[in-house]
Amino acid sequence: MATQIITLVGVLIGALTSYLVTVTAERAKFRRTMATRWDERKLDTYIAYVSCVKEIHRAAMEAARARDNGEDAAEALARMEAKEDKRSVLFETFVLLADESAAAAAHTVNQRTWDLLTKARDASNGLHAMRAVTLVQALNTLHEAARKDLAITRTGPLG
């Protein structure tokens, strides 16, 4: 009878151990899956936001260049305004998904973008005024924060 009890206890301990290991492994797998899912969503959002800001910058520079050449800047300004509307919407998703550092960097990018928009909307400003806005520096800071948030490491020098 004692051997049967010992065998039964051994079977129960084995079953319990197997169950706990399986549950732990499944939880870890679920967490990895969720982290990957959100990282993919973050990356897509970061790319869309930064691309939109770059398109605003490009359109503002085109408008300024047109003014400097005595041409009509209306088309470039219309593209710039449309992209600004899109950037505003993308920013909300960005802030929801980003960590604190990336969100703070995005707020700075927003401020620099607004500075650029203000200058671009002023018909008296040309390329010189546009170049005074430090948007590129703010974007570089955002890139660093986004890489850190996504745990992307650099393997070599920029070039």
Side-chain angles (χ1 to χ4, degrees):
M1 183 76 179
T3 14
Q4 290 176 342
I5 291 176
I6 291 173
T7 304
L8 185 59
V9 169
V11 168
L12 288 174
I13 290 173
L16 182 60
T17 302
S18 176
Y19 172 77
L20 291 175
V21 167
T22 302
V23 166
T24 302
E26 286 299 316
R27 282 185 184 172
K29 180 180 173 184
F30 177 75
R31 286 186 186 125
R32 279 191 307 274
T33 301
M34 292 307 291
T36 301
R37 177 178 159 205
W38 286 112
D39 281 350
E40 288 172 1
R41 184 83 186 257
K42 273 186 193 182
L43 179 61
D44 291 344
T45 299
Y46 290 4
I47 290 170
Y49 175 78
V50 170
S51 296
C52 194
V53 169
K54 294 291 283 185
E55 289 170 6
I56 290 169
H57 183 259
R58 192 173 303 114
M61 297 303 274
E62 286 176 21
R65 198 172 295 109
R67 285 189 191 123
D68 285 350
N69 294 331
E71 299 168 0
D72 185 20
E75 185 180 321
L77 290 170
R79 271 196 326 275
M80 181 188 76
E81 296 297 343
K83 292 301 177 178
E84 167 55 13
D85 291 342
K86 183 178 177 184
R87 183 215 51 81
S88 178
V89 172
L90 287 169
F91 177 71
E92 297 305 320
T93 305
F94 189 106
V95 171
L96 286 172
L97 296 174
D99 72 358
E100 195 172 318
S101 173
H107 279 289
T108 302
V109 167
N110 280 348
Q111 187 60 55
R112 298 299 180 276
T113 301
W114 295 328
D115 294 346
L116 181 72
L117 289 165
T118 300
K119 288 186 185 297
R121 288 172 181 140
D122 183 347
S124 67
N125 285 324
L127 278 174
H128 181 71
M130 297 299 117
R131 290 187 178 128
V133 177
T134 56
L135 178 60
V136 174
Q137 292 170 336
L139 280 170
N140 289 339
T141 301
L142 176 59
H143 292 155
E144 277 184 45
R147 278 192 301 274
K148 182 180 173 190
D149 185 23
L150 295 167
I152 297 172
T153 57
R154 264 210 189 126
T155 57
L158 289 177

